[in-house]
Amino acid sequence: MSDNRDTQPKGLGSDEEIRLPVDEHVEEEVSPNGKKVRAKGVYLLPNLITTGALFSGFYAIIAGMGGNFEAAAIAIFAAMILDGLDGRVARLTDTQSAFGVQYDSLSDMVSFGLAPALVVFSWGLGPLGKLGWAAAFLYTACAALRLARFNTQVDTVDKGVFIGLASPTAAAIVASMVWAGHEAEVGTGLAIIAALVTAAAGLLMVSNFHYTSFKKLDFKGRVPFVMMLAIILIFSLVTIDPPRVLLVIAIIYTFSGPVLWAWGALSERRKMAVADSARESAQSEVVSEGHDSDEATNHDVASVEGAPKENKRS
């Protein structure tokens, strides 16, 4: 009589672990004592918020393809809010992980890379033909490059600034433009403007302009009372005409990078001009002092040479 163990299928024994057909995620984390430990699973709360942002971007694509451009634009802004929450919730609850970083990046690509490009193409770039989809693809490719560069520089760049326009802000420009003009008849002129705005937003994402990231704001600390009044004022302005006010805010923030760069370049030129002027002034003073000393030396030599002649005459 054969042993039951010989006929029992492998992997189903009572002493072996029964594995699900889905691979269990395992990653290394740094424990509070500084040692690396292997942890199974993922954190629920921040990744759940990231999933909400991903769904919002996916819904924006579906709504844009169906011609509901207002809902598509609102969905992109909802993705922006959720994208801003997941990272902060992870930091506040100490649930950061490498998986969350990568998942957030992929969600951003859908919500702020693909969704705005497809929505704006369905709304106003179609009449331009190949030029329209070229502008949409340029935006999408720049968003992918922006996210890839951010992921590779996240540990080396100052947390207080973004290098290049952040993808959520670029998406806000495109989405608010579509939202503001969702009822308008898109002709060739408006389509060209939409293509230029879309392409410019994409190129600014891969630029070297520095933008404030607002990541150094302390949400757990106290702020001046006037700060709350300013926030209430901003909310009140947004409720008056959400698409146009949000478009103006996004444009102001977008232009802040080039303006600060131009101001910094101008200040640097002024400093260089002042330094050159001071250097030239110092050199002229040295030359003048040298000339005066040479004249004094020549005068003393002439006096010495002239003295014996006077004695001879006397």
Side-chain angles (χ1 to χ4, degrees):
M1 186 174 181
S2 62
D3 193 350
N4 291 334
R5 289 178 297 179
D6 297 336
T7 59
Q8 186 176 9
K10 293 183 179 180
L12 297 179
S14 59
D15 58 341
E16 295 185 10
E17 181 181 358
I18 300 177
R19 296 185 179 182
L20 295 175
V22 179
D23 186 22
E24 180 68 22
H25 176 71
V26 180
E27 66 177 81
E28 287 188 350
E29 292 184 349
V30 179
S31 61
N33 58 7
K35 296 182 179 179
K36 289 186 177 181
V37 296
R38 293 174 62 84
K40 288 185 178 182
V42 296
Y43 293 111
L44 178 62
L45 184 57
N47 290 311
L48 190 62
I49 299 175
T50 303
T51 303
L54 178 62
F55 174 77
S56 298
F58 175 77
Y59 175 78
I61 296 174
I62 299 299
M65 293 173 62
N68 192 355
F69 301 115
E70 184 178 13
I74 294 174
I76 292 175
F77 278 99
M80 290 179 56
I81 296 174
L82 294 173
D83 179 69
L85 285 176
D86 59 1
R88 299 191 184 278
V89 168
R91 287 188 290 271
L92 290 174
T93 58
D94 196 20
T95 53
Q96 305 101 312
S97 64
F99 175 87
V101 172
Q102 299 303 321
Y103 188 34
D104 179 72
S105 181
L106 293 173
S107 173
D108 290 350
M109 183 59 206
V110 174
S111 301
F112 310 130
L114 284 174
L118 294 176
V119 169
V120 74
F121 178 81
S122 301
W123 169 70
L125 300 184
L128 298 180
K130 293 182 178 180
L131 181 62
W133 64 254
F137 174 74
L138 176 65
Y139 176 91
T140 303
C142 290
L145 294 172
R146 168 72 175 83
L147 292 169
R149 184 176 68 176
F150 176 79
N151 290 341
T152 57
Q153 296 178 347
V154 66
D155 296 328
T156 59
V157 178
D158 184 10
K159 301 292 184 181
V161 297
F162 287 132
I163 298 180
L165 185 65
S167 57
T169 307
I173 294 175
V174 176
S176 57
M177 177 180 62
V178 173
W179 191 1
H182 73 279
E183 294 181 347
E185 286 291 336
V186 181
T188 304
L190 184 57
I192 292 175
I193 294 175
L196 292 175
V197 171
T198 303
L203 293 175
L204 284 173
M205 282 191 285
V206 295
S207 68
N208 286 327
F209 294 129
H210 286 198
Y211 292 89
T212 303
S213 66
F214 302 106
K215 288 185 177 181
K216 292 186 177 180
L217 291 178
D218 186 8
F219 288 92
K220 296 185 292 184
R222 293 179 177 270
V223 296
F225 182 74
V226 68
M227 181 68 70
M228 290 303 302
L229 293 178
I231 294 175
I232 294 173
L233 178 61
I234 293 174
F235 276 114
S236 301
L237 291 176
V238 171
T239 57
I240 296 174
D241 191 351
R244 290 172 176 81
V245 173
L246 291 174
L247 178 60
V248 170
I249 294 175
I251 290 176
I252 292 174
Y253 179 77
T254 300
F255 275 101
S256 67
V259 169
L260 291 176
W261 174 82
W263 180 261
L266 182 61
S267 300
E268 190 66 24
R269 288 185 179 180
R270 288 178 177 176
K271 290 180 180 178
M272 292 178 62
V274 171
D276 292 341
S277 178
R279 190 181 303 109
E280 291 177 357
S281 176
Q283 290 178 353
S284 62
E285 290 180 359
V286 170
V287 172
S288 177
E289 291 177 357
H291 182 69
D292 293 340
S293 62
D294 290 342
E295 289 183 351
T297 302
N298 294 333
H299 181 270
D300 293 341
V301 171
S303 299
V304 173
E305 291 178 350
K309 294 180 180 180
E310 291 179 358
N311 293 333
K312 290 180 181 180
R313 290 177 182 175
S314 60

